[in-house]
mmCIF file of all heavy atoms in Angstrom:
data_model
loop_
_atom_site.group_PDB
_atom_site.id
_atom_site.type_symbol
_atom_site.label_atom_id
_atom_site.label_comp_id
_atom_site.label_asym_id
_atom_site.label_seq_id
_atom_site.Cartn_x
_atom_site.Cartn_y
_atom_site.Cartn_z
ATOM 1 N N GLY A 54 -2.199 3.698 -15.590
ATOM 2 C CA GLY A 54 -2.672 3.062 -14.352
ATOM 3 C C GLY A 54 -1.575 3.239 -13.203
ATOM 4 O O GLY A 54 -0.369 3.222 -13.567
ATOM 5 N N ARG A 55 -2.040 3.528 -12.035
ATOM 6 C CA ARG A 55 -1.131 3.860 -10.922
ATOM 7 C C ARG A 55 -1.444 2.843 -9.778
ATOM 8 O O ARG A 55 -2.466 2.215 -9.787
ATOM 9 C CB ARG A 55 -1.389 5.261 -10.436
ATOM 10 C CG ARG A 55 -1.005 6.352 -11.565
ATOM 11 C CD ARG A 55 -1.227 7.667 -11.038
ATOM 12 N NE ARG A 55 -2.563 7.941 -10.898
ATOM 13 C CZ ARG A 55 -3.152 8.949 -10.374
ATOM 14 N NH1 ARG A 55 -2.557 10.027 -10.020
ATOM 15 N NH2 ARG A 55 -4.527 9.086 -10.202
ATOM 16 N N ASP A 56 -0.451 2.887 -8.757
ATOM 17 C CA ASP A 56 -0.791 2.078 -7.602
ATOM 18 C C ASP A 56 -1.943 2.462 -6.736
ATOM 19 O O ASP A 56 -2.339 3.657 -6.771
ATOM 20 C CB ASP A 56 0.532 2.056 -6.764
ATOM 21 C CG ASP A 56 1.772 1.396 -7.441
ATOM 22 O OD1 ASP A 56 1.512 0.739 -8.514
ATOM 23 O OD2 ASP A 56 2.802 1.467 -6.871
ATOM 24 N N LEU A 57 -2.463 1.518 -6.023
ATOM 25 C CA LEU A 57 -3.502 1.775 -5.152
ATOM 26 C C LEU A 57 -2.859 2.358 -3.739
ATOM 27 O O LEU A 57 -1.978 1.784 -3.070
ATOM 28 C CB LEU A 57 -4.248 0.451 -4.784
ATOM 29 C CG LEU A 57 -4.842 -0.120 -5.938
ATOM 30 C CD1 LEU A 57 -5.460 -1.514 -5.547
ATOM 31 C CD2 LEU A 57 -6.032 0.721 -6.542
ATOM 32 N N PRO A 58 -3.374 3.452 -3.297
ATOM 33 C CA PRO A 58 -2.805 4.089 -2.095
ATOM 34 C C PRO A 58 -3.528 3.388 -0.855
ATOM 35 O O PRO A 58 -4.577 2.711 -1.008
ATOM 36 C CB PRO A 58 -3.268 5.528 -2.175
ATOM 37 C CG PRO A 58 -4.500 5.509 -3.011
ATOM 38 C CD PRO A 58 -4.303 4.395 -3.965
ATOM 39 N N ASN A 59 -2.995 3.745 0.330
ATOM 40 C CA ASN A 59 -3.779 3.236 1.549
ATOM 41 C C ASN A 59 -5.054 3.783 1.485
ATOM 42 O O ASN A 59 -5.319 5.022 0.979
ATOM 43 C CB ASN A 59 -3.033 3.852 2.806
ATOM 44 C CG ASN A 59 -1.813 3.164 3.146
ATOM 45 O OD1 ASN A 59 -0.985 2.955 2.330
ATOM 46 N ND2 ASN A 59 -1.588 2.861 4.460
ATOM 47 N N ALA A 60 -6.204 3.098 1.818
ATOM 48 C CA ALA A 60 -7.587 3.510 1.787
ATOM 49 C C ALA A 60 -7.756 4.628 2.817
ATOM 50 O O ALA A 60 -8.627 5.512 2.526
ATOM 51 C CB ALA A 60 -8.506 2.328 2.035
ATOM 52 N N GLN A 61 -7.040 4.546 3.921
ATOM 53 C CA GLN A 61 -7.330 5.536 4.947
ATOM 54 C C GLN A 61 -5.904 5.617 5.677
ATOM 55 O O GLN A 61 -5.178 4.744 5.981
ATOM 56 C CB GLN A 61 -8.336 4.953 5.935
ATOM 57 C CG GLN A 61 -9.012 5.965 6.739
ATOM 58 C CD GLN A 61 -10.222 5.371 7.474
ATOM 59 O OE1 GLN A 61 -10.468 4.166 7.501
ATOM 60 N NE2 GLN A 61 -11.152 6.294 7.934
ATOM 61 N N THR A 62 -5.706 6.848 6.103
ATOM 62 C CA THR A 62 -4.448 7.049 6.930
ATOM 63 C C THR A 62 -4.826 7.608 8.325
ATOM 64 O O THR A 62 -5.948 8.223 8.512
ATOM 65 C CB THR A 62 -3.516 8.102 6.260
ATOM 66 O OG1 THR A 62 -4.269 9.337 6.045
ATOM 67 C CG2 THR A 62 -3.044 7.677 4.890
ATOM 68 N N PHE A 63 -3.917 7.314 9.268
ATOM 69 C CA PHE A 63 -4.133 7.667 10.670
ATOM 70 C C PHE A 63 -2.913 8.389 11.194
ATOM 71 O O PHE A 63 -1.854 8.031 10.781
ATOM 72 C CB PHE A 63 -4.400 6.419 11.555
ATOM 73 C CG PHE A 63 -5.554 5.565 11.179
ATOM 74 C CD1 PHE A 63 -5.430 4.608 10.206
ATOM 75 C CD2 PHE A 63 -6.745 5.918 11.762
ATOM 76 C CE1 PHE A 63 -6.608 3.766 9.894
ATOM 77 C CE2 PHE A 63 -7.958 5.144 11.317
ATOM 78 C CZ PHE A 63 -7.797 4.099 10.416
ATOM 79 N N PRO A 64 -3.107 9.407 12.059
ATOM 80 C CA PRO A 64 -1.927 9.852 12.764
ATOM 81 C C PRO A 64 -1.427 8.857 13.767
ATOM 82 O O PRO A 64 -2.181 8.222 14.391
ATOM 83 C CB PRO A 64 -2.484 11.179 13.465
ATOM 84 C CG PRO A 64 -3.891 10.881 13.658
ATOM 85 C CD PRO A 64 -4.344 9.983 12.481
ATOM 86 N N GLY A 65 -0.081 8.684 13.753
ATOM 87 C CA GLY A 65 0.461 7.745 14.704
ATOM 88 C C GLY A 65 0.662 8.211 16.130
ATOM 89 O O GLY A 65 0.338 9.418 16.398
ATOM 90 N N LYS A 66 0.968 7.330 16.991
ATOM 91 C CA LYS A 66 1.281 7.636 18.363
ATOM 92 C C LYS A 66 2.277 8.845 18.541
ATOM 93 O O LYS A 66 3.263 8.838 17.866
ATOM 94 C CB LYS A 66 1.837 6.416 19.114
ATOM 95 C CG LYS A 66 1.999 6.460 20.557
ATOM 96 C CD LYS A 66 2.479 5.092 21.054
ATOM 97 C CE LYS A 66 2.651 5.283 22.595
ATOM 98 N NZ LYS A 66 3.143 4.021 23.150
ATOM 99 N N GLY A 67 1.878 9.783 19.356
ATOM 100 C CA GLY A 67 2.708 10.974 19.511
ATOM 101 C C GLY A 67 2.772 11.907 18.265
ATOM 102 O O GLY A 67 3.657 12.634 18.107
ATOM 103 N N GLY A 68 1.831 11.690 17.327
ATOM 104 C CA GLY A 68 1.940 12.511 16.104
ATOM 105 C C GLY A 68 2.753 11.976 14.980
ATOM 106 O O GLY A 68 2.993 12.726 14.020
ATOM 107 N N GLN A 69 3.390 10.812 15.198
ATOM 108 C CA GLN A 69 4.150 10.346 14.163
ATOM 109 C C GLN A 69 3.436 10.063 12.863
ATOM 110 O O GLN A 69 2.327 9.618 12.929
ATOM 111 C CB GLN A 69 4.771 9.000 14.634
ATOM 112 C CG GLN A 69 5.767 8.348 13.765
ATOM 113 C CD GLN A 69 6.285 7.011 14.324
ATOM 114 O OE1 GLN A 69 5.699 6.461 15.215
ATOM 115 N NE2 GLN A 69 7.354 6.446 13.630
ATOM 116 N N ALA A 70 4.092 10.425 11.772
ATOM 117 C CA ALA A 70 3.379 10.271 10.463
ATOM 118 C C ALA A 70 3.231 8.672 10.097
ATOM 119 O O ALA A 70 4.212 8.006 10.367
ATOM 120 C CB ALA A 70 4.092 11.062 9.337
ATOM 121 N N GLN A 71 2.167 8.402 9.439
ATOM 122 C CA GLN A 71 2.098 7.049 8.889
ATOM 123 C C GLN A 71 2.946 6.758 7.758
ATOM 124 O O GLN A 71 3.104 7.690 6.797
ATOM 125 C CB GLN A 71 0.653 6.754 8.564
ATOM 126 C CG GLN A 71 0.402 5.393 8.138
ATOM 127 C CD GLN A 71 -1.090 5.012 7.816
ATOM 128 O OE1 GLN A 71 -1.999 5.802 8.180
ATOM 129 N NE2 GLN A 71 -1.381 3.903 7.287
ATOM 130 N N VAL A 72 3.496 5.714 7.749
ATOM 131 C CA VAL A 72 4.292 5.344 6.426
ATOM 132 C C VAL A 72 3.355 4.915 5.385
ATOM 133 O O VAL A 72 2.598 3.896 5.617
ATOM 134 C CB VAL A 72 5.378 4.192 6.699
ATOM 135 C CG1 VAL A 72 6.071 3.713 5.401
ATOM 136 C CG2 VAL A 72 6.377 4.606 7.762
ATOM 137 N N ILE A 73 3.268 5.539 4.260
ATOM 138 C CA ILE A 73 2.320 5.206 3.248
ATOM 139 C C ILE A 73 2.896 4.271 2.309
ATOM 140 O O ILE A 73 4.028 4.438 1.712
ATOM 141 C CB ILE A 73 1.933 6.557 2.449
ATOM 142 C CG1 ILE A 73 1.366 7.692 3.429
ATOM 143 C CG2 ILE A 73 0.835 6.183 1.347
ATOM 144 C CD1 ILE A 73 0.032 7.245 4.186
ATOM 145 N N VAL A 74 2.233 3.102 2.102
ATOM 146 C CA VAL A 74 2.688 2.055 1.323
ATOM 147 C C VAL A 74 1.577 1.959 0.285
ATOM 148 O O VAL A 74 0.414 1.685 0.505
ATOM 149 C CB VAL A 74 2.908 0.744 2.115
ATOM 150 C CG1 VAL A 74 3.236 -0.399 1.217
ATOM 151 C CG2 VAL A 74 3.950 0.951 3.210
ATOM 152 N N THR A 75 2.086 1.849 -1.043
ATOM 153 C CA THR A 75 1.092 1.593 -2.055
ATOM 154 C C THR A 75 1.126 0.161 -2.536
ATOM 155 O O THR A 75 2.054 -0.453 -2.316
ATOM 156 C CB THR A 75 1.335 2.460 -3.229
ATOM 157 O OG1 THR A 75 2.683 2.276 -3.778
ATOM 158 C CG2 THR A 75 1.203 4.036 -2.913
ATOM 159 N N LEU A 76 0.129 -0.322 -3.285
ATOM 160 C CA LEU A 76 -0.006 -1.602 -3.912
ATOM 161 C C LEU A 76 -0.278 -1.548 -5.247
ATOM 162 O O LEU A 76 -1.242 -0.825 -5.663
ATOM 163 C CB LEU A 76 -0.979 -2.393 -3.053
ATOM 164 C CG LEU A 76 -1.094 -3.891 -3.453
ATOM 165 C CD1 LEU A 76 0.066 -4.716 -2.858
ATOM 166 C CD2 LEU A 76 -2.340 -4.590 -2.763
ATOM 167 N N PRO A 77 0.540 -2.135 -6.127
ATOM 168 C CA PRO A 77 0.161 -2.137 -7.551
ATOM 169 C C PRO A 77 -1.075 -2.840 -7.824
ATOM 170 O O PRO A 77 -1.463 -3.903 -7.185
ATOM 171 C CB PRO A 77 1.446 -2.828 -8.214
ATOM 172 C CG PRO A 77 1.917 -3.677 -7.164
ATOM 173 C CD PRO A 77 1.720 -2.951 -5.908
ATOM 174 N N VAL A 78 -1.892 -2.415 -8.802
ATOM 175 C CA VAL A 78 -3.153 -3.060 -9.119
ATOM 176 C C VAL A 78 -2.771 -4.405 -9.695
ATOM 177 O O VAL A 78 -3.401 -5.392 -9.373
ATOM 178 C CB VAL A 78 -3.826 -2.210 -10.311
ATOM 179 C CG1 VAL A 78 -5.038 -2.980 -10.795
ATOM 180 C CG2 VAL A 78 -4.323 -0.880 -9.699
ATOM 181 N N LEU A 79 -1.708 -4.545 -10.530
ATOM 182 C CA LEU A 79 -1.140 -5.821 -11.023
ATOM 183 C C LEU A 79 0.370 -5.816 -10.658
ATOM 184 O O LEU A 79 1.017 -4.867 -10.903
ATOM 185 C CB LEU A 79 -1.292 -5.916 -12.587
ATOM 186 C CG LEU A 79 -2.660 -5.835 -13.119
ATOM 187 C CD1 LEU A 79 -2.753 -5.804 -14.719
ATOM 188 C CD2 LEU A 79 -3.452 -7.219 -12.565
ATOM 189 N N ALA A 80 0.745 -6.917 -9.975
ATOM 190 C CA ALA A 80 2.032 -7.053 -9.459
ATOM 191 C C ALA A 80 3.142 -6.881 -10.631
ATOM 192 O O ALA A 80 2.881 -7.243 -11.715
ATOM 193 C CB ALA A 80 2.191 -8.445 -8.807
ATOM 194 N N ARG A 81 4.252 -6.252 -10.230
ATOM 195 C CA ARG A 81 5.269 -5.909 -11.170
ATOM 196 C C ARG A 81 6.464 -6.781 -10.936
ATOM 197 O O ARG A 81 6.703 -7.671 -11.774
ATOM 198 C CB ARG A 81 5.676 -4.402 -10.966
ATOM 199 C CG ARG A 81 4.688 -3.449 -11.692
ATOM 200 C CD ARG A 81 5.291 -2.061 -11.656
ATOM 201 N NE ARG A 81 5.455 -1.579 -10.241
ATOM 202 C CZ ARG A 81 4.510 -0.809 -9.727
ATOM 203 N NH1 ARG A 81 3.343 -0.672 -10.267
ATOM 204 N NH2 ARG A 81 4.656 -0.394 -8.451
ATOM 205 N N ASP A 82 7.219 -6.608 -9.866
ATOM 206 C CA ASP A 82 8.426 -7.412 -9.773
ATOM 207 C C ASP A 82 8.410 -8.474 -8.673
ATOM 208 O O ASP A 82 9.090 -9.433 -8.694
ATOM 209 C CB ASP A 82 9.590 -6.444 -9.294
ATOM 210 C CG ASP A 82 9.827 -5.308 -10.347
ATOM 211 O OD1 ASP A 82 9.854 -5.656 -11.602
ATOM 212 O OD2 ASP A 82 9.800 -4.154 -9.919
ATOM 213 N N THR A 83 7.420 -8.196 -7.566
ATOM 214 C CA THR A 83 7.190 -9.226 -6.550
ATOM 215 C C THR A 83 5.777 -9.297 -6.288
ATOM 216 O O THR A 83 4.912 -8.345 -6.499
ATOM 217 C CB THR A 83 8.020 -8.672 -5.298
ATOM 218 O OG1 THR A 83 7.390 -7.522 -4.916
ATOM 219 C CG2 THR A 83 9.454 -8.661 -5.491
ATOM 220 N N VAL A 84 5.415 -10.393 -5.575
ATOM 221 C CA VAL A 84 4.071 -10.532 -5.089
ATOM 222 C C VAL A 84 4.110 -10.517 -3.605
ATOM 223 O O VAL A 84 5.268 -11.111 -3.021
ATOM 224 C CB VAL A 84 3.383 -11.838 -5.603
ATOM 225 C CG1 VAL A 84 3.141 -11.785 -7.146
ATOM 226 C CG2 VAL A 84 4.137 -13.152 -5.342
ATOM 227 N N LYS A 85 3.277 -10.026 -2.878
ATOM 228 C CA LYS A 85 3.225 -9.832 -1.404
ATOM 229 C C LYS A 85 2.328 -10.693 -0.805
ATOM 230 O O LYS A 85 2.312 -10.765 0.477
ATOM 231 C CB LYS A 85 3.028 -8.287 -1.108
ATOM 232 C CG LYS A 85 3.829 -7.352 -1.812
ATOM 233 C CD LYS A 85 5.223 -7.361 -1.275
ATOM 234 C CE LYS A 85 6.051 -6.172 -1.846
ATOM 235 N NZ LYS A 85 7.424 -6.236 -1.424
ATOM 236 N N PHE A 86 1.344 -11.395 -1.436
ATOM 237 C CA PHE A 86 0.381 -12.209 -0.779
ATOM 238 C C PHE A 86 -0.212 -13.233 -1.753
ATOM 239 O O PHE A 86 -0.201 -12.930 -2.955
ATOM 240 C CB PHE A 86 -0.754 -11.365 -0.117
ATOM 241 C CG PHE A 86 -1.490 -10.525 -1.011
ATOM 242 C CD1 PHE A 86 -2.645 -10.840 -1.654
ATOM 243 C CD2 PHE A 86 -1.114 -9.151 -1.246
ATOM 244 C CE1 PHE A 86 -3.370 -10.048 -2.508
ATOM 245 C CE2 PHE A 86 -1.726 -8.280 -2.032
ATOM 246 C CZ PHE A 86 -2.947 -8.741 -2.667
ATOM 247 N N VAL A 87 -0.696 -14.341 -1.301
ATOM 248 C CA VAL A 87 -1.302 -15.358 -2.088
ATOM 249 C C VAL A 87 -2.553 -14.643 -2.633
ATOM 250 O O VAL A 87 -3.324 -14.039 -1.950
ATOM 251 C CB VAL A 87 -1.750 -16.564 -1.163
ATOM 252 C CG1 VAL A 87 -2.604 -17.471 -2.105
ATOM 253 C CG2 VAL A 87 -0.524 -17.288 -0.803
ATOM 254 N N GLY A 88 -2.848 -14.723 -3.952
ATOM 255 C CA GLY A 88 -3.917 -14.285 -4.561
ATOM 256 C C GLY A 88 -3.671 -12.882 -5.170
ATOM 257 O O GLY A 88 -4.615 -12.284 -5.845
ATOM 258 N N GLN A 89 -2.557 -12.244 -5.001
ATOM 259 C CA GLN A 89 -2.367 -10.969 -5.454
ATOM 260 C C GLN A 89 -2.422 -10.973 -7.005
ATOM 261 O O GLN A 89 -1.826 -11.883 -7.707
ATOM 262 C CB GLN A 89 -0.965 -10.366 -5.137
ATOM 263 C CG GLN A 89 -0.714 -8.978 -5.649
ATOM 264 C CD GLN A 89 0.687 -8.438 -5.155
ATOM 265 O OE1 GLN A 89 1.429 -9.029 -4.357
ATOM 266 N NE2 GLN A 89 0.889 -7.153 -5.545
ATOM 267 N N PRO A 90 -3.218 -10.082 -7.655
ATOM 268 C CA PRO A 90 -3.345 -9.993 -9.042
ATOM 269 C C PRO A 90 -2.015 -9.821 -9.812
ATOM 270 O O PRO A 90 -1.267 -8.849 -9.404
ATOM 271 C CB PRO A 90 -4.367 -8.913 -9.381
ATOM 272 C CG PRO A 90 -5.109 -8.751 -8.070
ATOM 273 C CD PRO A 90 -4.066 -9.079 -7.032
#
């Protein structure tokens, strides 16, 4: 099993690249929101 990627990416203002942040399917070391599996 791997992390979930961003569902969609966008080019940023002035062509700046989006910072891609993944989310684990099941939390490993930290939880980031209430209800995170």
Side-chain angles (χ1 to χ4, degrees):
R55 296 179 295 175
D56 290 354
L57 300 170
N59 288 44
Q61 201 169 17
T62 59
F63 298 93
K66 185 177 179 181
Q69 183 180 13
Q71 180 175 353
V72 176
I73 304 299
V74 177
T75 60
L76 186 67
V78 173
L79 297 173
R81 285 187 291 273
D82 302 315
T83 60
V84 291
K85 307 289 187 183
F86 57 91
V87 171
Q89 183 173 357

